[in-house]
Amino acid sequence: MSSQRPKRLAILGATGSIGQNTLAVIEKFPDIYQVESLAGGTNIQLLNHQIQKFHPKRVCVLDEHHAIGLKKMVQQPLEILFGASGYEQIASDTNIDMVVSAIVGAAGLMPTIAAIRSGKDVALANKETLVMAGEIVMREIKKNNVRLLPVDSEHSAIFQCLEGHQKNDLRQILLTASGGPFRNRDFSTFKTIQPKDALNHPTWNMGQKITIDSATLMNKGLEVIEAHFLFNVPASDIQVIVHPQSIVHSMVAYHDGSIIAQLGIPDMKGAIAYALSYPNRLPLNQPTPNFFDIQSLNFYEPDLKKFPCLSLAYEACSQGKTFPAVLNAANEIAVAAFLHNQIGFMDIPRWIEKALTHHTPENTTDLDRIVEADQWARNIVKRWINTNDERNCIYI
Ligand code: NAD
Ligand code: MG
């Protein structure tokens, strides 16, 4: 790291799992990183705690109600913004060097684009941004000459395995998946899966939405699409491999038959630190995997009958256009409904498939078309779920 001034960061989604892990990394390197701004959603207690510790100049919360609540808690002078325009303002602030994009879901898209368009490097955790608008995001990255550094552990691994190699030597990306909590569960019992069962991830500790996505394997499906855009590789050259220990974070196969893998313990701090410090490595002092304790690493083919979300994502990726945005939006609505006990676990892929089937695709060169497709899918899946009667569906 150079002896320059600290890198000034804006952290979007600061109160979430990735946000908190990012602050845990930053806390160890006060001379290297400075928290310029923090954005959370509704957890203003935690945000206040982070404000006291990291002294940002600006913060943003979901709405005015939470902004007023936060203002009452905070003693020091602080600019408090709220809502969509607030997040975009935080992301495009001229005083920022890098934006950590760690809002969950489609809400992360616009602030991430705002960051890129205003010339900021982005450490990207919010995979939904690339799934929805990968073409536009990658175009804007090039146009604005900024870096998009993956925080998703698999993509960080792939990025590291590609370093120092030629793109045209690459044969295949091998994307590892833990397999989630239901890898060994009998398929006949999937009907009875409850949110609490699905929220019990075997290796990673994450936010609720991504934990459910990991249980359906939609997380891996979203990651296939994320890798497709990030590394400009067709979905047919991205193979998902179930690896329950989550030690091999992903691999890259080259045309000469060599495979390069990146390994580490399942802790997001490693990938976050690499995105923050690239091309350097921070002395994080994370433990390395103890191979004598682990003894064996296992690899399996994903079971697409049990986890149809993965096939749906591959299909949406191959079809392109606005299909991935619809897949993502339908998934967000279905996952929220599952978490509220409105639908069963296997209804998640059912509603997503139905949304994809009824979607009229548009090109994705225009952000408005993507937002429209996202809204269409949200509205129709909500309506299907609320009426819960397929015969009464009106397909618009
Ligand atoms: P989380 O639910 O723990 O945190 C989400 C954050 O976003 C919170 O700060 C929340 O307040 C904020 N937020 C939620 N809705 C918002 C809205 N409408 N507007 C503004 N802010 C909002 O989620 P997470 O697990 O930290 O995941 C964040 C992103 O990182 C997701 O896209 C996820 O797929 C990705 N990711 C997470 C992990 C992980 O280990 N948690 C790993 C890889 C990728
Ligand atoms: Mg991941």
Side-chain angles (χ1 to χ4, degrees):
M1 194 62 64
S2 70
S3 59
Q4 291 166 355
R5 60 168 169 72
K7 197 182 256 192
R8 299 162 303 178
L9 304 174
I11 302 167
L12 310 178
T15 53
S17 165
I18 291 289
Q20 292 179 63
N21 271 307
T22 304
L23 290 170
V25 171
I26 290 169
E27 197 181 349
K28 294 187 178 177
F29 305 99
D31 299 338
I32 305 178
Y33 301 105
Q34 181 183 322
V35 177
E36 197 72 17
S37 41
L38 292 172
T42 54
N43 187 350
I44 53 175
Q45 277 80 15
L46 178 57
L47 191 58
N48 182 35
H49 181 72
Q50 294 175 339
I51 292 164
Q52 304 314 321
K53 200 161 176 181
F54 293 96
H55 313 289
K57 298 192 184 68
R58 296 171 115 188
V59 297
C60 184
V61 291
L62 192 67
D63 51 31
E64 190 171 12
H65 169 73
H66 289 94
I68 293 168
L70 182 65
K71 193 165 170 27
K72 285 185 189 146
M73 289 180 191
V74 179
Q75 310 296 324
Q76 66 269 49
L78 177 73
E79 197 178 341
I80 303 177
L81 308 171
F82 62 86
S85 64
Y87 292 115
E88 287 182 38
Q89 240 176 291
I90 293 257
S92 53
D93 187 343
T94 46
N95 291 325
I96 303 289
D97 301 309
M98 176 183 257
V99 172
V100 178
S101 170
I103 289 175
V104 61
L109 174 65
M110 291 307 186
T112 306
I113 298 229
I116 298 167
R117 286 189 174 153
S118 56
K120 314 286 184 287
D121 287 341
V122 172
L124 185 74
N126 178 268
K127 62 193 83 185
E128 295 90 346
T129 285
L130 277 178
V131 171
M132 293 174 74
E135 199 181 333
I136 294 178
V137 170
M138 297 316 286
R139 188 182 72 202
E140 291 289 332
I141 288 285
K142 241 189 215 143
K143 191 167 135 194
N144 293 286
N145 197 21
V146 294
R147 279 177 176 153
L148 185 61
L149 296 150
V151 167
D152 215 346
S153 59
E154 296 77 2
H155 302 73
S156 173
I158 296 159
F159 181 68
Q160 294 179 53
C161 295
L162 289 169
E163 277 283 287
H165 294 86
Q166 306 296 327
K167 171 75 202 308
N168 53 10
D169 289 336
L170 184 153
R171 181 196 282 175
Q172 205 181 24
I173 285 176
L174 306 172
L175 190 68
T176 53
S178 72
F182 307 133
R183 186 174 62 86
N184 289 324
R185 185 174 172 134
D186 186 344
F187 185 48
S188 65
T189 70
F190 270 40
K191 295 189 278 301
T192 61
I193 289 173
Q194 298 297 310
K196 68 169 171 26
D197 308 324
L199 286 171
N200 187 17
H201 195 276
T203 48
W204 294 97
N205 184 9
M206 311 176 285
Q208 284 205 335
K209 190 254 177 187
I210 184 174
T211 305
I212 302 299
D213 286 349
S214 299
T216 60
L217 287 205
M218 179 54 94
N219 182 49
K220 214 45 54 181
L222 298 177
E223 289 184 358
V224 167
I225 305 174
E226 181 184 13
H228 158 70
F229 285 117
L230 199 51
F231 305 115
N232 191 20
V233 170
S236 54
D237 289 345
I238 304 171
Q239 184 176 55
V240 171
I241 299 179
V242 175
H243 164 49
Q245 293 89 355
S246 301
I247 297 291
V248 177
H249 292 165
S250 276
M251 307 179 255
V252 168
Y254 289 97
H255 284 304
D256 62 359
S258 271
I259 292 179
I260 299 189
Q262 189 265 341
L263 281 68
I265 59 163
D267 184 326
M268 288 307 295
K269 287 195 270 302
I272 292 168
Y274 192 63
L276 295 178
S277 64
Y278 176 83
N280 304 303
R281 285 183 185 268
L282 293 169
L284 251 195
N285 285 327
Q286 289 273 78
T288 48
N290 182 330
F291 292 109
F292 299 133
D293 285 346
I294 297 168
Q295 294 199 345
S296 56
L297 296 173
N298 305 103
F299 302 95
Y300 306 99
E301 204 176 339
D303 183 338
L304 298 176
K305 183 167 169 268
K306 280 164 91 170
F307 303 107
C309 282
L310 183 56
S311 309
L312 292 171
Y314 265 106
E315 186 62 25
C317 190
S318 307
Q319 302 255 337
K321 297 197 170 186
T322 38
F323 282 114
V326 166
L327 174 98
N328 179 64
N331 180 56
E332 282 190 30
I333 297 300
V335 167
F338 171 68
L339 283 169
H340 287 98
N341 292 305
Q342 273 184 288
I343 63 170
F345 187 73
M346 289 310 285
D347 291 327
I348 299 174
R350 191 162 69 91
W351 293 124
I352 298 168
E353 183 171 17
K354 191 163 172 171
L356 291 169
T357 309
H358 290 94
H359 178 53
T360 309
E362 296 277 354
N363 286 327
T364 50
T365 43
D366 183 348
L367 214 43
D368 289 345
R369 298 289 88 71
I370 294 170
V371 173
E372 278 164 23
D374 173 271
Q375 284 305 322
W376 171 83
R378 274 166 208 279
N379 292 338
I380 198 142
V381 173
K382 265 186 210 160
R383 195 184 316 165
W384 286 336
I385 289 173
N386 288 336
T387 56
N388 198 21
D389 182 350
E390 297 205 34
R391 288 162 308 171
N392 291 340
C393 291
I394 304 163
Y395 304 125
I396 50 166

